[in-house]
Each structure stands twice: as structure tokens, then as C-alpha cells.
Amino acid sequence: MRAVTKLVSGWTFHTSFSSDLVATAEPGTAVRLPHNAVDLEMTYLDERSYQKEFGYQYALAWQPTWAGREVSLRFDGAMANSVVWVNGQQVAAHKDGYTPFSARLTGLLKEGDNLITVKIDGSENPEIPPFGGQIDYLTYAGIYRDVWLQVTDTVSIANLKVETANELSDTKSATVKGFLANPTQAAYTGSALVELCTAEGTVLHQQTVEVSGAEFSASFEALAGLSLWNIDSPVLYMARVTLNTSAGQDQLSTRFGFRTAHFTTEGFFLNGKHLKIRGLNRHQSYPYVGYAMGQRAQEKDADVMKDVLKCNLVRTSHYPQSTYFLDRCDEIGLLVFEEIPGWQHIGGQAWQDESVENVRRMVERDWNHPSIIIWGVRINESQDHHDFYTRTNAMARSLDSTRQTGGVRYIENSELLEDVYTVNDFCHVATPEWMKGIAPTPLRQPRQVTGLDHEVPYLITEFNGHMYPTKRIDPEDRQAEHVSRHLQVLNKAYENPVISGAIGWCMYDYNTHKDFGAGDRICHHGVMDIFREPKFAAWGYTSQCSPAEQVVLEPVTYWARGEKDRCEVLPLIVLTNCDYVELKVGDFLPKRAEPDRERYPHLPHAPVIFDSRHVNMSDLGAWGMLWRDATVTGFINGKAVSTVKLSGNPLPTTLQVQVDDTVLRADEKDATRVIVRTLDQVGRLLPFLDEVVQVEVTGAAQLLGPELLPLKGGTTGFWVETTGAVGDITVRVSTRRMGEQVLTLHAE
Ligand code: GAL
């Protein structure tokens, strides 16, 4: 049987690499994994700081139980170019920062300590994807995912693949394929017990198959009483294989689900039912620590996408992301578009070979995730390349016949080698008054883009982003335009049945190179800020959910007399899924408005827009007159279901400090997020409050990032990370004008 241990602590980090490290343990900094080689400033950072070589060392103490067994290290992800030695001998080299790799230690270990040395080269090496051109994101160096010590018998299970069929029938089928690891090519005989279980492990069906070569397969037919995996009810099952051979025993399990997913010329169908895709792109980065965030933070992003943004799909732009993130997508019913590493640039032959390998590594790692519905097998936004993309498509199809391929481009008339024409459509440009009527449409028509005389499966993979970057601190007018642009594209995508859906750019702001962003090394492209705190545009997505799930009522306003031009508050957009909304200002009679179906006829829930059709500006008073409180009320079936108060006299009243989780793991590098909000008397953010937030974390955790944080748009955030100690964690947050809040968390 296998023994698998996560190697969290005990690592030594070296800020530079010298060949001495290969065979000699040198004093360095004690670190835990996942680890970021160079922590960065939030803004105006120097992205060259991590583009060099680093070293990690680990003393692996020999265990007598390993005698005669296979011992290896599995790296879930290290950026960008890794070499691993044991006792001075090279055992692995991996030229990709996003996929896992193993280092076989068998036969090279001695009694006592064994020196593991890992060289990580964080340079943007033009020989390996995605490098060679400029890229609009950072690839933070380090062993930024987990490392596992794996001990098995000579013959073990390397991987499992579950393929389902007849998913929509009452009697479903599943085939479980096993791939064996047999590094010494030992001769053996044996069998595998293959069990289909509930996610919790209750056995539902089982069979035993003979095992002789490198692979085996067990087919299950006429499986009754099983449920589908879908976004509302993501039922998972587990395939568990127990291997029993003359050269070793092993057990491995994987989760899977029964579902069908098809992109067609009539849109996307999940389990035979039409589903319009409404998604956002996600980078896997966090402030200061880059990619080095563990399970909890990864899972939280998936939860935010599903529960806060109410999206049904996430695109892992532009690389395979953490399996913790993907596992969570399986559990909560969030669809995934996963793609290989790359950004616009295609390198030479060796580079392309590595990229084709990346397709293989991605598919083999992730083929059992029911949430993944399409493989992205092009370098994001690259030009056509017949030979290269013929190979990437062939690789994906040969490994997985159950999923379609896509390849994200922005060019028109692109050669369609994939199953789905996936395109970034950034045609939506400014629509000033004088252009009304002649303004370009928010989206091009599929045939215009494909250049084909017939429809093909078609999906919008990005829109907005750099066409309208919007900072959290930007004025209300800009926030409103940001909202409108996201909604206009979504509306257009909903209109056209050929379009499977649209995936906006992007979920949250991210750090980037000097060649992109606002000069501060941030692309302010998110519908959320870098802390995953919603900007107004986020509510545009949220409000598309059914009110049965959540009633949404979010007026896009700072409600101030003089924030917008001409001291107007109109037009006032209210993002909502209510039937109608009333706006009551001071003692004036309430004004009622219905969802604006004229402008947004196709959205599930058009926003309500108060303008001169509903409100006489003089009712709100002119410049020089009294400014009043207001109330926005949403109604469903004639009943008031939600109310938002807007203060005409906002003053700093509440310092709100909200933590995602209060119980953390001490044995892992476990991190949780804290959001700080400064609120007025009625609970609205104070968007222009100039205050500095002082943070102090004591006890069994540390603060990630600086202790002094400026409020931006009335809010800021940070992550708290366990240190390995067990016990209480005290988080103190204060500002000069708003006093102090204290949270107590616990690491156990
Ligand atoms: C796209 C690109 C994304 C991001 C986006 C910004 O061209 O694929 O990675 O840079 O633009 O809008």
C-alpha cells in the first residue's frame, strides 16, 4: 500500500542558487510550503526581483520501512523551471510552472539524512511556455504548491481515468481505467478490485479484473439509481481501485461525476439542457505572496465565484490551476474552462513540443473533474499555427474523447481546428452620446468573426478588461459605465442562441508587468478588487441569479450631491432581480421603475434604471438646496423584499472587520482572508474616506503584507496565515477615526 505525506515544513530556502547546494546542506532560511520566493509590494513592485534562480533543500531521513520500496517526491507546481537532485544526483527536471512532476528517489537513498536540493529558476525563459514575449500577469517563482513524499510497492497505480456513458439514461455506464507505475519493469501477476462508491466511500458496485500489462480497465454497465452531476446538485462519486499483484499492493481513488457537456451551434447543453454560460476569468494570484496560497484560499475563490458572483463557469486563464480549486468546482457545481500555459507568443520547435506536453500533463491530471467541460489547447490569443495546433488538438482528443476542445483567439477568420470557436471579443469600445445609433455592437456576430458561411459552436472567452479598466477608487460615473459594459455584452450573448455564453475579463484585479495595467503593476480589470471585494460591476453578475436563490438590490451610487457631473445622481442604475424598484427621496413620493427591458431585453434580470422617465431632477433638489436621505426598495409579487438606505449625510460610523474562517489548520500553511470596511450610519461604504488601517496579528498566525494599509474606496483586505503553532490568533484592526476591532481566530 502507498504512504503519502505532505512535506510542509523542514525546507530551507536559499535566495540564490550555487552548485554547492547540489551536494551540500547549506544554512538558509527555514520555510514552509507552499512558498513564494520573493514577496512583492502590492503596487509599483519590481517584477524582475524573482526572475532568477533560487534553491530549496530538505533533509529526508531514511526510514527502514522504505527498504525494497519505491520512494518519490511529487511536486504539484513550482515556477518556472525546476531541477531536483538527491544526494548530488539529478532525479528530475521540469520545464513548466503549472503542472505536477515527480522525482524518483528509489535506489539513491542511504541511511540517515538524504539531501534533496531543488533549483527553481524564476526567469522568463523564452525556451518554455508561456515566455518569449510580454505577458499580462506575473509568474511568481517558488515551490508554490504542495510537495508530497510517496512510498509505494514496486508496482503501483500511477493514474486512474473514469469515463462515463449513457449518463442521461436511468441505467448509466462507467469505465475505470488504471495506469500502472512499474519503474523496474518487474514481472508480475495480479488483479484489481474496482469499486464504484458514493463520494463518502459507500460501495455501490464492484468488480475484480485481472492485471498483467501496464493498464487495466473495468466496465460497469446498467448502473441504476445514480444521480447526475449538475450545477445545482453536483453529485460526485468515487472510483476506488485496490491493486493486488505479486509485485505490490496499492490503493488509489478518484472522484468523478455523470454528466454530459456539449457545445453546439444552438448553444451549450449540460445534461441535455440548454445553459447559457455566464462566467469570469480567474488568475491564481494573491497580493504579496503571488501564487503561494494553499487549499483554503483556492477553495474560497471558487466559492466566491459561485456564491457571490453567481457565475456558472470559470476560465482558468491562462494555465492549469490548483487541483484544490478544481476539486472545489466539482463540489459546488462550477463549470471550468481549463487551458494550457501561454499568452500570445508561440516559440520554436522545442517550445511547441513542451506546450504539447503541457496539454498531456493537464489532461492526465484533470480528466476526472466533472466540472471541466472544455480543454483550451491554444496559446491564449496567439496567431493561427496549423501544425502546432493540429498537434495540441490531437493530443487532447487522444487522451480524452469525452470533452470538446477550444482555443482562445482574438483574430477573425482563424483556422478552426478545435471543436468550439472560442474568442476574446473586445470590440465593445466607448459609446459617447454623439455615437449613439452608430456605436458598435457590444459583440460581433459569430459568422463575422469566424468568416465561415455556417454556424459553429461558439463561445466568448473574454470581454471588457483593458477596454475599460476600472479601479475601486474610480468615480461613480466610471463605475456605472463599467457596470453597463459588462451587462451590455452579457445581454448580447443572451440574445444570440448561437453564442454559448460569455466569460468576462475578469474576476478580480491582478498584479502584472510594467507593460500592462495602470503603471502601478495592477490590471484593474476585475469586477472585484484584488481582495475579491466586489466593485459595482460584480453585482451585475450576481443580480442575474434567481431571486429564489438571493434577492439582489444594489444601487450603483455613492449618493452624493456633487460626485457626478452637473451635480446629478441620474441616471441611477439599480442592479436587481426584483420585479420593480421604488426610489424614495426625503419626503417626496416614491418613484417606481421596472427593469429596463428596452436596453437589456435579453438578460435574465435587466437592471432598473431611474432617469428622467421616472424622476424629475428638481424633485431631488438642485445645487444649493438640501440634500436628502433616500431609500431604494425592491418588490417581488407586489411585496417589498429588500431595502437599501442611502444617507444624505454620511459619516464614518462602523468599522466592519469580516473574516472568512475562524478555525485554521496549524499543520498546514493555512490562510484566511480578512476584509475591512468603513461604513456610514446606514451601512454603505464610505468611498472616499482617507484613512490608514493599522493591522496587528499575534499568536499562532502572521499577517501577509504590511501592517499599514490605505483604505481604497472605503475598504481594504489582507490574509492571515498560520505559522505552525497551535493556539489563538488575535487580529487587531484600527483606524484613527473609527477605533479598533479585535477578532479572535484559532489554529488547531
Ligand atoms: C486579453 C488577455 C488577458 C488580459 C486581457 C485584458 O487580451 O487574454 O490575459 O490581458 O486581455 O483585457
Side-chain angles (χ1 to χ4, degrees):
M1 287 295 165
R2 67 178 56 206
V4 179
T5 319
K6 198 193 273 193
L7 303 183
V8 176
S9 43
W11 293 86
T12 309
F13 175 64
H14 302 266
T15 52
S16 60
F17 188 85
S18 84
S19 52
D20 296 349
L21 292 174
V22 170
T24 319
E26 302 274 353
T29 314
V31 297
R32 304 202 304 157
L33 303 186
H35 182 253
N36 185 38
V38 179
D39 284 351
L40 298 173
E41 297 292 341
M42 167 92 76
T43 58
Y44 298 100
L45 52 95
D46 183 359
E47 68 266 35
R48 290 165 309 180
S49 59
Y50 60 81
Q51 293 182 35
K52 61 192 214 44
E53 293 178 344
F54 302 92
Y56 291 84
Q57 293 190 315
Y58 186 89
L60 184 64
W62 168 261
Q63 307 290 322
T65 53
W66 298 351
R69 307 195 76 206
E70 278 295 320
V71 185
S72 60
L73 292 176
R74 198 179 78 229
F75 292 77
D76 283 349
M79 185 60 75
N81 189 1
S82 312
V83 184
V84 185
W85 294 265
V86 59
N87 298 327
Q89 185 152 336
Q90 185 178 323
V91 280
H94 190 68
K95 280 191 181 170
D96 175 51
Y98 298 101
T99 49
F101 61 97
S102 289
R104 181 170 179 245
L105 310 181
T106 315
L108 302 171
L109 297 174
K110 53 184 173 51
E111 288 200 8
D113 277 353
N114 291 273
L115 180 67
I116 308 291
T117 301
V118 186
K119 180 173 85 175
I120 298 294
D121 187 350
S123 356
E124 299 191 351
N125 179 347
E127 297 302 311
I128 59 177
F131 308 118
Q134 321 310 326
I135 52 171
D136 170 25
Y137 49 98
L138 300 183
T139 55
Y140 315 80
I143 306 181
Y144 73 91
R145 289 187 188 147
D146 293 330
V147 175
W148 306 80
L149 173 70
Q150 178 173 304
V151 182
T152 67
D153 290 341
T154 304
V155 170
S156 65
I157 306 167
N159 201 0
L160 295 174
K161 177 184 187 185
V162 186
E163 283 177 335
T164 60
N166 304 319
E167 296 88 350
L168 304 185
S169 144
D170 287 343
T171 52
K172 310 186 195 312
S173 317
T175 302
V176 180
K177 288 191 179 146
F179 304 89
L180 295 188
N182 184 4
T184 63
Q185 303 298 313
Y188 69 90
T189 54
S191 63
L193 168 67
V194 183
E195 296 167 305
L196 295 190
C197 313
T198 63
E200 295 72 38
T202 307
V203 179
L204 303 172
H205 302 273
Q206 63 177 61
Q207 56 178 280
T208 302
V209 292
E210 265 193 31
V211 178
S212 51
E215 295 179 19
F216 61 86
S217 168
S219 291
F220 294 82
E221 305 292 338
L223 301 168
L226 301 183
S227 305
L228 287 171
W229 181 96
N230 61 45
I231 55 173
D232 302 322
S233 153
V235 178
L236 291 170
Y237 293 94
M238 184 171 79
R240 182 167 60 207
V241 176
T242 310
L243 182 73
N244 193 354
T245 78
S246 51
Q249 274 87 47
D250 195 13
Q251 188 175 76
L252 190 64
S253 51
T254 180
R255 295 192 306 191
F256 70 100
F258 293 91
R259 57 116 188 86
T260 61
H262 296 298
F263 291 87
T264 76
T265 51
E266 280 92 50
F268 174 69
F269 291 81
L270 184 68
N271 296 327
K273 293 204 184 105
H274 182 255
L275 178 72
K276 191 62 93 167
I277 286 172
R278 189 174 71 239
L280 286 162
N281 284 274
R282 176 204 185 225
H283 269 303
Q284 60 175 19
S285 55
Y286 298 79
Y288 319 114
V289 299
Y291 284 169
M293 278 288 210
Q295 180 167 0
R296 186 185 304 274
Q298 302 291 337
E299 292 181 350
K300 183 69 194 174
D301 273 0
D303 289 348
V304 167
M305 193 70 113
K306 174 95 181 174
D307 300 338
V308 180
L309 295 163
K310 310 288 185 195
C311 285
N312 54 28
L313 181 140
V314 56
R315 173 167 167 244
T316 67
S317 46
H318 300 294
Y319 36 77
Q321 300 191 354
S322 163
T323 50
Y324 293 128
F325 179 75
L326 299 173
D327 284 344
R328 190 66 183 160
C329 293
D330 290 343
E331 288 165 7
I332 62 179
L334 178 64
L335 302 172
V336 179
F337 181 131
E338 188 173 38
E339 67 176 355
I340 50 169
W343 207 85
Q344 294 194 349
H345 168 81
I346 301 176
Q349 196 56 47
W351 191 106
Q352 291 170 34
D353 292 348
E354 202 62 39
S355 183
V356 175
E357 271 304 285
N358 283 339
V359 176
R360 187 182 60 72
R361 296 168 186 142
M362 168 178 77
V363 176
E364 287 186 347
R365 189 192 71 165
D366 291 332
W367 52 21
N368 295 331
H369 290 282
S371 57
I372 298 176
I373 54 164
I374 182 168
W375 302 120
V377 300
R378 266 183 186 239
I379 301 305
N380 171 67
E381 292 191 335
S382 54
Q383 300 299 306
D384 281 349
H385 194 307
H386 181 82
D387 293 347
F388 177 34
Y389 292 135
T390 300
R391 288 177 69 201
T392 57
N393 273 284
M395 176 61 90
R397 289 180 182 131
S398 72
L399 294 170
D400 179 12
S401 58
T402 70
R403 287 180 182 84
Q404 289 165 297
T405 61
V408 173
R409 69 268 277 166
Y410 64 80
I411 48 174
E412 294 187 347
N413 307 320
S414 165
E415 186 190 18
L416 182 59
L417 295 164
E418 297 78 19
D419 302 313
V420 187
Y421 199 108
T422 50
V423 65
N424 294 347
D425 191 335
F426 287 107
C427 74
H428 194 21
V429 293
T431 50
E433 271 311 306
W434 62 268
M435 277 181 78
K436 290 266 160 67
I438 55 163
T441 162
L443 282 180
R444 286 166 289 173
Q445 290 305 310
R447 285 193 203 193
Q448 181 195 341
V449 174
T450 63
L452 299 170
D453 61 2
H454 58 280
E455 305 296 0
V456 292
Y458 189 89
L459 174 70
I460 310 294
T461 35
E462 291 182 31
F463 59 90
N464 270 358
H466 62 296
M467 304 311 288
Y468 206 77
T470 303
K471 302 181 190 71
R472 155 165 297 295
I473 52 169
D474 277 340
E476 182 180 319
D477 263 335
R478 193 169 182 97
Q479 305 288 345
E481 176 68 11
H482 191 218
V483 164
S484 303
R485 285 171 182 237
H486 275 276
L487 291 183
Q488 281 164 23
V489 175
L490 286 178
N491 178 62
K492 219 46 192 168
Y494 272 97
E495 175 184 18
N496 188 340
V498 175
I499 300 178
S500 288
I503 309 167
W505 190 267
C506 60
M507 182 182 175
Y508 43 76
D509 299 345
Y510 54 96
N511 284 121
T512 189
H513 287 81
K514 66 173 178 52
D515 318 275
F516 303 87
D520 55 356
R521 311 297 209 271
I522 296 183
C523 272
H524 299 267
H525 297 172
V527 298
M528 304 181 123
D529 67 18
I530 206 162
F531 306 110
R532 290 67 166 150
E533 176 72 349
K535 301 176 192 171
F536 284 108
W539 301 109
Y541 286 78
T542 315
S543 60
Q544 301 313 314
C545 78
S546 148
E549 192 182 344
Q550 182 184 325
V551 173
V552 181
L553 185 72
E554 184 59 42
V556 182
T557 180
Y558 298 145
W559 197 251
R561 159 62 51 73
E563 155 61 2
K564 298 220 279 188
D565 296 352
R566 301 182 300 276
C567 80
E568 289 186 348
V569 290
L570 301 181
L572 169 59
I573 303 171
V574 182
L575 297 165
T576 187
N577 48 15
C578 292
D579 296 344
Y580 60 89
V581 171
E582 285 185 357
L583 170 68
K584 182 166 165 45
V585 181
D587 295 333
F588 296 113
L589 284 178
K591 316 289 176 195
R592 175 179 296 190
E594 316 260 330
D596 195 335
R597 291 253 153 247
E598 215 175 292
R599 285 195 192 124
Y600 298 97
H602 307 291
L603 281 180
H605 297 284
V608 166
I609 304 176
F610 287 96
D611 55 22
S612 51
R613 292 171 299 177
H614 319 90
V615 188
N616 187 342
M617 259 316 277
S618 58
D619 276 5
L620 298 179
W623 190 246
M625 293 174 67
L626 189 67
W627 183 239
R628 298 173 171 85
D629 294 347
T631 307
V632 179
T633 308
F635 290 81
I636 295 179
N637 295 329
K639 275 204 201 112
V641 288
S642 184
T643 300
V644 174
K645 289 193 182 309
L646 304 168
S647 173
N649 176 26
L651 289 170
T653 307
T654 308
L655 177 65
Q656 187 182 66
V657 183
Q658 201 170 296
V659 65
D660 288 337
D661 304 277
T662 53
V663 180
L664 304 182
R665 292 185 61 161
D667 61 342
E668 301 213 343
K669 232 177 153 188
D670 192 8
T672 193
R673 179 186 62 150
V674 181
I675 292 287
V676 180
R677 301 187 186 101
T678 51
L679 307 176
D680 66 12
Q681 308 89 307
V682 293
R684 301 283 290 175
L685 280 175
L686 293 155
F688 307 117
L689 186 68
D690 282 331
E691 282 277 88
V692 173
V693 176
Q694 167 95 45
V695 184
E696 187 192 76
V697 179
T698 51
Q702 62 189 14
L703 171 68
L704 298 183
E707 291 184 344
L708 289 179
L709 303 168
L711 285 172
K712 287 192 179 160
T715 171
T716 187
F718 55 90
W719 275 263
V720 168
E721 183 184 80
T722 56
T723 54
V726 169
D728 282 345
I729 302 160
T730 306
V731 180
R732 292 175 190 281
V733 178
S734 59
T735 85
R736 184 180 61 83
R737 290 178 69 183
M738 305 196 70
E740 184 182 69
Q741 295 286 329
V742 182
L743 301 178
T744 305
L745 327 182
H746 197 71
E748 56 182 38

Short mmCIF file of all heavy atoms in Angstrom, two decimals, residues 673-707:
data_model
loop_
_atom_site.label_atom_id
_atom_site.label_comp_id
_atom_site.label_asym_id
_atom_site.label_seq_id
_atom_site.Cartn_x
_atom_site.Cartn_y
_atom_site.Cartn_z
N ARG A 673 -8.90 35.09 4.72
CA ARG A 673 -8.95 36.49 4.29
C ARG A 673 -9.73 37.34 5.29
O ARG A 673 -10.73 36.88 5.85
CB ARG A 673 -9.65 36.53 2.92
CG ARG A 673 -9.80 37.89 2.32
CD ARG A 673 -10.62 37.79 1.05
NE ARG A 673 -11.97 37.28 1.33
CZ ARG A 673 -13.05 37.59 0.63
NH1 ARG A 673 -12.95 38.38 -0.41
NH2 ARG A 673 -14.23 37.08 0.93
N VAL A 674 -9.27 38.55 5.50
CA VAL A 674 -9.99 39.50 6.34
C VAL A 674 -10.31 40.73 5.48
O VAL A 674 -9.43 41.26 4.81
CB VAL A 674 -9.15 39.92 7.56
CG1 VAL A 674 -9.94 40.90 8.43
CG2 VAL A 674 -8.71 38.70 8.37
N ILE A 675 -11.56 41.12 5.48
CA ILE A 675 -11.97 42.32 4.73
C ILE A 675 -12.33 43.40 5.74
O ILE A 675 -13.04 43.15 6.73
CB ILE A 675 -13.19 42.02 3.83
CG1 ILE A 675 -12.80 41.07 2.69
CG2 ILE A 675 -13.80 43.29 3.28
CD1 ILE A 675 -11.96 41.69 1.59
N VAL A 676 -11.83 44.60 5.49
CA VAL A 676 -12.10 45.75 6.36
C VAL A 676 -12.98 46.73 5.57
O VAL A 676 -12.65 47.07 4.43
CB VAL A 676 -10.78 46.45 6.75
CG1 VAL A 676 -11.06 47.64 7.66
CG2 VAL A 676 -9.82 45.45 7.40
N ARG A 677 -14.07 47.13 6.18
CA ARG A 677 -14.95 48.10 5.50
C ARG A 677 -15.26 49.24 6.45
O ARG A 677 -15.55 49.01 7.64
CB ARG A 677 -16.28 47.45 5.08
CG ARG A 677 -16.11 46.29 4.14
CD ARG A 677 -17.47 45.80 3.64
NE ARG A 677 -17.30 44.59 2.84
CZ ARG A 677 -17.52 43.36 3.28
NH1 ARG A 677 -17.98 43.16 4.50
NH2 ARG A 677 -17.31 42.32 2.50
N THR A 678 -15.23 50.44 5.93
CA THR A 678 -15.66 51.58 6.73
C THR A 678 -17.04 52.00 6.22
O THR A 678 -17.22 52.26 5.03
CB THR A 678 -14.66 52.74 6.61
OG1 THR A 678 -14.42 53.00 5.24
CG2 THR A 678 -13.35 52.38 7.29
N LEU A 679 -17.98 52.03 7.13
CA LEU A 679 -19.38 52.19 6.74
C LEU A 679 -20.00 53.43 7.39
O LEU A 679 -19.59 53.85 8.48
CB LEU A 679 -20.18 50.96 7.18
CG LEU A 679 -19.63 49.60 6.71
CD1 LEU A 679 -20.45 48.46 7.30
CD2 LEU A 679 -19.61 49.52 5.19
N ASP A 680 -21.00 53.96 6.70
CA ASP A 680 -21.73 55.11 7.27
C ASP A 680 -22.87 54.61 8.17
O ASP A 680 -22.97 53.41 8.46
CB ASP A 680 -22.21 56.04 6.15
CG ASP A 680 -23.27 55.38 5.26
OD1 ASP A 680 -23.80 54.31 5.63
OD2 ASP A 680 -23.57 55.94 4.19
N GLN A 681 -23.74 55.52 8.57
CA GLN A 681 -24.80 55.18 9.53
C GLN A 681 -25.75 54.11 9.00
O GLN A 681 -26.38 53.40 9.77
CB GLN A 681 -25.66 56.42 9.85
CG GLN A 681 -24.93 57.64 10.29
CD GLN A 681 -24.54 58.53 9.13
OE1 GLN A 681 -23.92 58.08 8.17
NE2 GLN A 681 -24.87 59.81 9.21
N VAL A 682 -25.87 54.02 7.63
CA VAL A 682 -26.82 53.05 7.08
C VAL A 682 -26.11 51.86 6.45
O VAL A 682 -26.69 51.07 5.72
CB VAL A 682 -27.77 53.73 6.06
CG1 VAL A 682 -28.68 54.73 6.75
CG2 VAL A 682 -26.99 54.38 4.93
N GLY A 683 -24.82 51.73 6.75
CA GLY A 683 -24.11 50.52 6.33
C GLY A 683 -23.54 50.56 4.93
O GLY A 683 -23.16 49.53 4.39
N ARG A 684 -23.48 51.75 4.30
CA ARG A 684 -22.87 51.86 2.96
C ARG A 684 -21.40 52.21 3.11
O ARG A 684 -21.01 52.93 4.04
CB ARG A 684 -23.55 52.96 2.13
CG ARG A 684 -25.03 52.76 1.92
CD ARG A 684 -25.36 51.73 0.88
NE ARG A 684 -25.04 52.15 -0.48
CZ ARG A 684 -25.16 51.33 -1.53
NH1 ARG A 684 -25.58 50.08 -1.35
NH2 ARG A 684 -24.88 51.74 -2.74
N LEU A 685 -20.60 51.70 2.18
CA LEU A 685 -19.17 52.03 2.18
C LEU A 685 -18.97 53.54 2.05
O LEU A 685 -19.72 54.22 1.35
CB LEU A 685 -18.48 51.37 0.99
CG LEU A 685 -18.12 49.89 1.09
CD1 LEU A 685 -17.55 49.42 -0.25
CD2 LEU A 685 -17.11 49.65 2.20
N LEU A 686 -17.94 54.03 2.71
CA LEU A 686 -17.57 55.45 2.59
C LEU A 686 -16.46 55.52 1.54
O LEU A 686 -15.28 55.32 1.85
CB LEU A 686 -17.07 55.97 3.94
CG LEU A 686 -18.14 56.03 5.02
CD1 LEU A 686 -17.53 55.95 6.41
CD2 LEU A 686 -18.98 57.29 4.86
N PRO A 687 -16.83 55.76 0.28
CA PRO A 687 -15.88 55.51 -0.80
C PRO A 687 -14.65 56.40 -0.79
O PRO A 687 -13.62 56.04 -1.34
CB PRO A 687 -16.71 55.74 -2.06
CG PRO A 687 -17.86 56.58 -1.63
CD PRO A 687 -18.13 56.24 -0.21
N PHE A 688 -14.75 57.56 -0.15
CA PHE A 688 -13.63 58.49 -0.23
C PHE A 688 -13.00 58.76 1.14
O PHE A 688 -12.36 59.78 1.33
CB PHE A 688 -14.08 59.80 -0.89
CG PHE A 688 -14.74 59.56 -2.23
CD1 PHE A 688 -16.07 59.91 -2.45
CD2 PHE A 688 -14.04 58.95 -3.25
CE1 PHE A 688 -16.67 59.66 -3.67
CE2 PHE A 688 -14.64 58.69 -4.48
CZ PHE A 688 -15.96 59.05 -4.68
N LEU A 689 -13.20 57.85 2.07
CA LEU A 689 -12.62 58.06 3.39
C LEU A 689 -11.10 57.87 3.33
O LEU A 689 -10.61 56.80 2.99
CB LEU A 689 -13.23 57.08 4.41
CG LEU A 689 -12.78 57.31 5.85
CD1 LEU A 689 -13.34 58.62 6.39
CD2 LEU A 689 -13.22 56.15 6.75
N ASP A 690 -10.39 58.94 3.67
CA ASP A 690 -8.92 58.88 3.67
C ASP A 690 -8.46 58.43 5.04
O ASP A 690 -8.31 59.24 5.94
CB ASP A 690 -8.34 60.29 3.43
CG ASP A 690 -8.40 60.68 1.99
OD1 ASP A 690 -8.36 59.80 1.14
OD2 ASP A 690 -8.51 61.90 1.73
N GLU A 691 -8.24 57.16 5.21
CA GLU A 691 -7.77 56.68 6.49
C GLU A 691 -6.76 55.58 6.23
O GLU A 691 -6.78 54.91 5.19
CB GLU A 691 -8.93 56.05 7.29
CG GLU A 691 -9.85 57.04 7.95
CD GLU A 691 -9.30 57.52 9.29
OE1 GLU A 691 -8.55 58.51 9.27
OE2 GLU A 691 -9.61 56.93 10.32
N VAL A 692 -5.90 55.42 7.21
CA VAL A 692 -4.94 54.33 7.15
C VAL A 692 -5.40 53.28 8.16
O VAL A 692 -5.81 53.61 9.26
CB VAL A 692 -3.54 54.83 7.50
CG1 VAL A 692 -2.56 53.67 7.60
CG2 VAL A 692 -3.08 55.83 6.45
N VAL A 693 -5.35 52.04 7.73
CA VAL A 693 -5.76 50.95 8.61
C VAL A 693 -4.51 50.32 9.21
O VAL A 693 -3.57 49.98 8.48
CB VAL A 693 -6.56 49.89 7.81
CG1 VAL A 693 -6.92 48.71 8.69
CG2 VAL A 693 -7.81 50.52 7.21
N GLN A 694 -4.52 50.19 10.51
CA GLN A 694 -3.40 49.55 11.21
C GLN A 694 -3.81 48.12 11.54
O GLN A 694 -4.88 47.90 12.14
CB GLN A 694 -3.11 50.33 12.48
CG GLN A 694 -2.22 49.65 13.48
CD GLN A 694 -0.75 50.08 13.32
OE1 GLN A 694 -0.48 51.26 13.18
NE2 GLN A 694 0.14 49.12 13.33
N VAL A 695 -3.00 47.16 11.17
CA VAL A 695 -3.32 45.75 11.42
C VAL A 695 -2.23 45.14 12.29
O VAL A 695 -1.04 45.37 12.06
CB VAL A 695 -3.40 44.94 10.11
CG1 VAL A 695 -3.84 43.51 10.39
CG2 VAL A 695 -4.34 45.60 9.13
N GLU A 696 -2.66 44.37 13.28
CA GLU A 696 -1.68 43.65 14.09
C GLU A 696 -2.18 42.23 14.28
O GLU A 696 -3.32 42.02 14.68
CB GLU A 696 -1.54 44.34 15.45
CG GLU A 696 -0.43 43.76 16.29
CD GLU A 696 -0.51 44.27 17.73
OE1 GLU A 696 -1.39 43.79 18.48
OE2 GLU A 696 0.28 45.15 18.07
N VAL A 697 -1.34 41.27 13.94
CA VAL A 697 -1.71 39.86 14.11
C VAL A 697 -0.74 39.23 15.09
O VAL A 697 0.48 39.28 14.88
CB VAL A 697 -1.67 39.12 12.75
CG1 VAL A 697 -2.03 37.64 12.93
CG2 VAL A 697 -2.62 39.78 11.76
N THR A 698 -1.26 38.65 16.14
CA THR A 698 -0.39 37.98 17.12
C THR A 698 -0.92 36.58 17.40
O THR A 698 -2.06 36.26 17.09
CB THR A 698 -0.35 38.77 18.45
OG1 THR A 698 -1.69 39.02 18.86
CG2 THR A 698 0.40 40.08 18.32
N GLY A 699 -0.07 35.76 17.98
CA GLY A 699 -0.47 34.39 18.27
C GLY A 699 -0.01 33.45 17.18
O GLY A 699 1.06 33.62 16.60
N ALA A 700 -0.85 32.47 16.86
CA ALA A 700 -0.43 31.36 16.02
C ALA A 700 -0.53 31.65 14.52
O ALA A 700 -0.70 30.74 13.71
CB ALA A 700 -1.27 30.14 16.37
N ALA A 701 -0.45 32.91 14.15
CA ALA A 701 -0.52 33.25 12.72
C ALA A 701 0.25 34.53 12.47
O ALA A 701 0.60 35.26 13.40
CB ALA A 701 -1.97 33.42 12.28
N GLN A 702 0.50 34.80 11.18
CA GLN A 702 1.16 36.04 10.82
C GLN A 702 0.36 36.76 9.74
O GLN A 702 -0.43 36.14 9.03
CB GLN A 702 2.58 35.76 10.34
CG GLN A 702 2.60 34.90 9.09
CD GLN A 702 4.00 34.45 8.72
OE1 GLN A 702 4.92 34.55 9.52
NE2 GLN A 702 4.15 33.94 7.51
N LEU A 703 0.63 38.03 9.64
CA LEU A 703 -0.03 38.85 8.63
C LEU A 703 0.74 38.71 7.32
O LEU A 703 1.96 38.79 7.31
CB LEU A 703 0.00 40.31 9.11
CG LEU A 703 -0.43 41.38 8.13
CD1 LEU A 703 -1.91 41.26 7.82
CD2 LEU A 703 -0.12 42.77 8.70
N LEU A 704 0.04 38.52 6.23
CA LEU A 704 0.70 38.57 4.92
C LEU A 704 0.60 40.02 4.43
O LEU A 704 -0.49 40.55 4.29
CB LEU A 704 0.01 37.63 3.93
CG LEU A 704 0.03 36.14 4.29
CD1 LEU A 704 -0.63 35.31 3.20
CD2 LEU A 704 1.46 35.66 4.52
N GLY A 705 1.75 40.63 4.21
CA GLY A 705 1.75 42.02 3.74
C GLY A 705 1.99 42.98 4.88
O GLY A 705 2.22 42.57 6.03
N PRO A 706 1.96 44.28 4.57
CA PRO A 706 2.31 45.29 5.56
C PRO A 706 1.25 45.52 6.63
O PRO A 706 0.08 45.17 6.45
CB PRO A 706 2.50 46.55 4.72
CG PRO A 706 1.69 46.32 3.49
CD PRO A 706 1.65 44.85 3.26
N GLU A 707 1.66 46.16 7.71
CA GLU A 707 0.74 46.42 8.83
C GLU A 707 -0.06 47.69 8.66
O GLU A 707 -1.04 47.92 9.36
CB GLU A 707 1.53 46.49 10.14
CG GLU A 707 2.10 45.14 10.52
CD GLU A 707 2.81 45.15 11.84
OE1 GLU A 707 3.14 46.25 12.34
OE2 GLU A 707 3.05 44.06 12.38
#
